[in-house]
Amino acid sequence: MRVINVFRRVTDRFASNIQTRLTGYFLLILLPLVLISLFAVERSRDILYEQAVKRTEVALSSAMNHFDLALQNVEEISTLISADPNLNELLNKNGADFSPRSIVDFSNVLQQLSNSVSVNRFVSQISVYHQATHMFISTHFGGRKLTSEPEQEWLVESARNNGTGISYVMADYPVSNARTFGKLTGTDSVSLIRSMDLYNMDRKSNLLVVTFNRSKLLNILKTLLPSENSRVSLFNDRGEVIVETGKAAVSGAPSSKDMEVSMDSEYSSWRLALVQPKSELYRETDQLRLFTFTIIGISILLAFIISWVVYSGIASPVLKLSRGMRCLSSGEMNVHVETRRQDEFGFLIQSFNRMVSVQKHLIEDHYEQQLRLTTTELKFLQSQINPHFLYNTLDSIYWAAKNYEADEISEMVMNLSKFFRLSLDKGRQVFTVEESMTHLHYYIRIQQLRFLDSFEVEYRISDETRALPILKLLLQPLVENAILHGLEGKESGGRLIVSSRMEQNRVVISVQNNGPGIEEERLSYIRSELGRMRSRSFPSLSQDEENIKDLFGLRNVFTRMRLYYGEEADLTIESMPGTGTIVAIRIPVNPAGSGNMETDAVLVPRQRPEIQDRGRTYDPYEGGREV
């Protein structure tokens, strides 16, 4: 019942809570990856274990073959010694009386045994028990007489029981209550025992003992050790440990935490076994499994975090939007929901804000419609009256100067009237280069009259640029700077050159004067300001330059060019003290056919954005004029 309640509570929360559903979905996505990762780790452990077992079996098989060869060699030596007629004659002709002749014979026996030990590296010592004199002759300690009857009986019985066969005795095998076989023979290794005089049916109970070299056996086993914590053991056919090497920490019976691999010998029925802790085999895979568990834990944690982030990212804007709708439904028209999001929720909130703004202005326009219409009509009439009033006034001044024969004043007024008539023409924003030069000449002529013709002007207009359109009043600030800062101090000999030419895919228009030039420090400052303006974006470029009055003419021209023609438009300035100054603008040109079909090429403006605010549309290149 309790389980059912818990399950019902979880399902209810899953159905009613978005965060719980998101978390569950993320966990479901992770579940196959987690299962595959765990399966891969466990499978890699199994493969590693199987490969380790196979490698160990191969190594044990090779070592066991080595042991079998050593056993065969030792057994062949024992056969040669036990069947040696000279050796058996020396032993058989000595009776129970121990005489000096017996000493000589036993010395000869010891000499022959020593020769056999030297030719086989797996034999540590060879001993012979002479039953008649109870002498134990050994290459290890020479000869000594056994006085213990139990030990004598054990040796005699062993010789009789073996017959012509072979048996192996461990060093810890008890011979009597007081001594083991190892203490009797002075060895700590396994020994081969067999009867002497094999081919004599009436042989005496003399016994041959061939002891294996323990260090040699250990050297073979040590080559099999895969690590410090492993153990390799050699067992006889009765399961007794013949020799063993390895760390004592793993001694004892192998457990489930150990890997045990054994190999049986078909020749001797001995068994070779290796025991190694599985933790050593799985050391690298355990690290991989730890990394896998860590990644799984981090993934689950990230699932919760991401679900919370996603939930917060969805719930927060929706909650803000719902509060804004409640305020709007209650009649509050100054609602504005703040957001910095650029996604669908940001678009939805911005649309809500625009909708509130449009509704507010629709309501305001409903009550103020008449007043606004009246104001608009007055401004429209005023915009028509002001230019005509200016033209009529200048025309009156011109004819008055004519009547009083003030030719210079009349010419200046006439040029000023033509200049303003073209400048205030709101129907056109661009002129051809040729028209711009004509318009520019009105302004230059006014300045020539002002400075008493102290300078002359030259126009070098390339024919291929005459029909190209450029922005209105783009050259006037450059010419004004050239006259006021370059030619104003000259009483005569001033020269102003306005030229245009094509340069690759751009038209270059330059304004040059032969004035005193610009000082190096001032020129560096101007170029640095132009460089700073090149690095600015278009919106910040137009906004930042509004409040800066220094270099106003250059800033105005450069800003209008960049805003209208894009980043390919540029303005450069060159000046040498005492020589003059050249200011050049470069405007991109589009090949024929991509623009105005009436000209060979057109200047390409950048995409002109329109600004919408409260239902009205403004063009920033029209000085903010409503369109």
Side-chain angles (χ1 to χ4, degrees), residues 375-389:
T375 303
T376 302
E377 291 176 359
L378 289 176
K379 289 183 178 180
F380 177 73
L381 292 175
Q382 185 178 3
S383 65
Q384 288 184 325
I385 293 173
N386 287 341
H388 291 289
F389 177 76

Side-chain angles (χ1 to χ4, degrees), residues 575-614:
S575 180
M576 292 289 294
T579 302
T581 303
I582 301 176
V583 179
I585 61 174
R586 288 171 171 80
I587 301 172
V589 177
N590 205 30
S594 62
N596 191 349
M597 297 303 296
E598 297 178 358
T599 61
D600 293 337
V602 296
L603 300 183
V604 183
R606 66 188 293 270
Q607 186 66 30
R608 296 173 54 170
E610 292 182 348
I611 302 176
Q612 294 186 355
D613 183 24
R614 298 183 179 181

Side-chain angles (χ1 to χ4, degrees), residues 511-530:
V511 178
Q512 178 180 358
N513 67 80
N514 62 343
I518 304 174
E519 296 180 358
E520 184 66 27
E521 182 178 356
R522 179 65 176 174
L523 182 61
S524 298
Y525 169 73
I526 295 174
R527 287 175 175 173
S528 65
E529 287 297 303
L530 291 175

Side-chain angles (χ1 to χ4, degrees), residues 221-393:
L221 296 184
K222 287 179 181 179
T223 60
L224 301 175
L225 289 175
S227 66
E228 296 180 355
N229 296 322
S230 59
R231 181 180 82 242
V232 181
S233 304
L234 179 64
F235 300 91
N236 60 18
D237 53 352
R238 295 186 298 272
E240 299 171 339
V241 177
I242 299 174
V243 65
E244 184 177 57
T245 182
K247 197 169 183 179
V250 294
S251 61
S255 63
S256 59
K257 297 181 179 179
D258 299 326
M259 177 190 73
E260 182 182 15
V261 182
S262 61
M263 179 64 61
D264 294 328
S265 171
E266 297 180 358
Y267 174 77
S268 62
S269 299
W270 286 9
R271 182 167 59 89
L272 192 60
L274 182 143
V275 178
Q276 182 181 7
K278 292 182 179 179
S279 58
E280 292 183 348
L281 296 176
Y282 297 148
R283 185 173 298 157
E284 295 183 0
T285 57
D286 286 343
Q287 292 181 357
L288 179 61
R289 182 164 61 175
L290 178 61
F291 292 154
T292 302
F293 289 155
T294 302
I295 293 173
I296 291 173
I298 293 175
S299 300
I300 294 174
L301 180 62
L302 287 177
F304 283 97
I305 294 175
I306 293 174
S307 63
W308 174 255
V309 171
V310 173
Y311 171 74
S312 300
I314 295 175
S316 178
V318 171
L319 188 60
K320 288 183 179 180
L321 189 59
S322 64
R323 284 200 293 262
M325 289 182 176
R326 291 193 191 97
C327 294
L328 181 63
S329 62
S330 63
E332 184 178 349
M333 302 303 299
N334 293 322
V335 178
H336 183 78
V337 180
E338 295 291 340
T339 183
R340 294 182 180 179
R341 300 175 67 104
Q342 302 296 326
D343 55 6
E344 291 81 356
F345 287 104
F347 174 77
L348 187 60
I349 293 176
Q350 292 172 5
S351 300
F352 173 77
N353 291 333
R354 287 195 294 268
M355 180 193 70
V356 173
S357 178
V358 169
Q359 285 189 352
K360 178 181 178 182
H361 289 293
L362 284 176
I363 295 174
E364 291 177 353
D365 291 345
H366 179 73
Y367 292 107
E368 300 177 3
Q369 183 178 9
Q370 296 299 324
L371 179 62
R372 285 164 46 213
L373 287 175
T374 303
T375 303
T376 302
E377 291 176 359
L378 289 176
K379 289 183 178 180
F380 177 73
L381 292 175
Q382 185 178 3
S383 65
Q384 288 184 325
I385 293 173
N386 287 341
H388 291 289
F389 177 76
L390 177 61
Y391 302 152
N392 293 335
T393 302

